[in-house]
Every structure is written in C-alpha cells, then in structure tokens.
Amino acid sequence: AGGDAQAGGDAQAGGDAQAEFDKWDAFIRNHPEHIEAERAKRSSWALAQLGANRQALAELRSFVPPDLWATTLGGLKESLLRGIDLTAADRGSTAEQGAVDGLGGLGGGGG
C-alpha cells in the first residue's frame, strides 16, 4: 500500500507541475511581445513560401477543368484522357485508363 501512496503523491506532483506549466504557458502566449513575434514569423514564412505556393496552386488548378460545373461526365473523361499520355503504355492495362474508366461510377449517372 506504501507504493500506492507514493504513486498517488507522484500523480499529485505531476498534476501540480502541469498546472504550473499551463499557467506560465498561457502567460507567455498572451504576452504582447510573443504575439507580435509569432505574427512576424507567420508573415515571414508566408512571404518566403509565396512563390512555391503560387506554383503549387497553378499546378493544382491545371488538374481541374475551368468549366467543371458545366462539364458532363463524358466530357470530364475526355479531358482526363487528353491530359494523360497513354502512347508510351499498353492502353489495355494501364492504371491511368483504369482510373478514368472507374469514373463511370461517379455521380451515379454514368456519362
């Protein structure tokens, strides 16, 4: 039973330490200098990443047809096939062709 009492005491001490840590963490996080330093870090990071983020956005947008909401499933399949170079692969068993063929189940209506 002595070990249980010590374990309980250790748990209490751990809880007290956590409460003390949380108190000082909140104090630091809410300090105006810390808030300004964090804002400056975020701003600096965003500026440093601007070019890469724009490039990634442009690449991502290249996968989505600009007229997506007006495109039929058949039109979407055709645009996907135009964007995939199937000439270097065996068209009968390519993963790309299987992925495009699998689009027939999207939207429930076929295309």
Side-chain angles (χ1 to χ4, degrees), residues 78-102:
E78 288 175 24
S79 67
L80 286 173
L81 285 173
R82 281 193 305 268
I84 299 172
D85 181 14
L86 298 176
T87 58
D90 173 19
R91 289 185 65 139
S93 62
T94 64
E96 294 90 350
Q97 184 65 43
V100 172
D101 289 344

Side-chain angles (χ1 to χ4, degrees), residues 25-74:
D25 182 57
F27 177 80
I28 291 168
R29 288 181 181 273
N30 291 313
H31 195 280
E33 289 178 10
H34 177 75
I35 292 170
E36 178 56 29
E38 289 297 308
R39 187 206 59 75
K41 281 197 298 192
R42 284 191 306 272
S43 179
S44 175
W45 180 89
L47 188 59
Q49 299 298 315
L50 187 61
N53 288 345
R54 284 185 175 163
Q55 183 179 355
L57 180 59
E59 183 175 344
L60 183 63
R61 285 182 173 166
S62 74
F63 296 123
V64 180
D67 59 347
L68 179 65
W69 299 114
T71 302
T72 64
L73 184 56

